[in-house]
Amino acid sequence: MEHIVHPFSELFEQLGLDASHKGIEHFLHNHRLPPEVELVEAPFWSHAQASFLKEGLQEDSDWAEVIDQLNASLR
């Protein structure tokens, strides 16, 4: 089975966010998560965004790696 690697910008597109370099920088600068808050429980996600992230992690989908990267970037 081929392992698909999604770029960070593609995850932002999937979440309906600005996927430009500046857009990603802006999002990461303005959204921080304390260690005790799970990524999928962040207050800035819509229900659909949180569901996508949760499913991607639970199913260990091809999105899981880049979702983990997002999680680390928000800390």
Side-chain angles (χ1 to χ4, degrees):
M1 185 167 119
E2 185 178 328
H3 179 70
I4 299 170
V5 178
H6 295 283
F8 210 46
S9 60
E10 194 173 323
L11 176 60
F12 273 69
E13 289 175 3
Q14 190 69 25
L15 292 169
L17 302 171
D18 182 350
S20 70
H21 181 73
K22 284 278 192 201
I24 292 170
E25 278 184 355
H26 184 266
F27 183 87
L28 296 177
H29 178 75
N30 290 304
H31 297 87
R32 306 306 296 167
L33 284 177
E36 67 274 6
V37 176
E38 296 284 331
L39 175 67
V40 300
E41 299 298 325
F44 45 81
W45 300 128
S46 70
H47 178 74
Q49 289 169 323
S51 293
F52 173 79
L53 295 168
K54 186 175 182 177
E55 289 173 19
L57 292 171
Q58 284 179 340
E59 297 172 7
D60 196 27
S61 74
D62 55 327
W63 289 102
E65 189 174 325
V66 74
I67 292 170
D68 286 339
Q69 182 184 354
L70 174 62
N71 187 33
S73 297
L74 290 169
R75 306 297 171 164

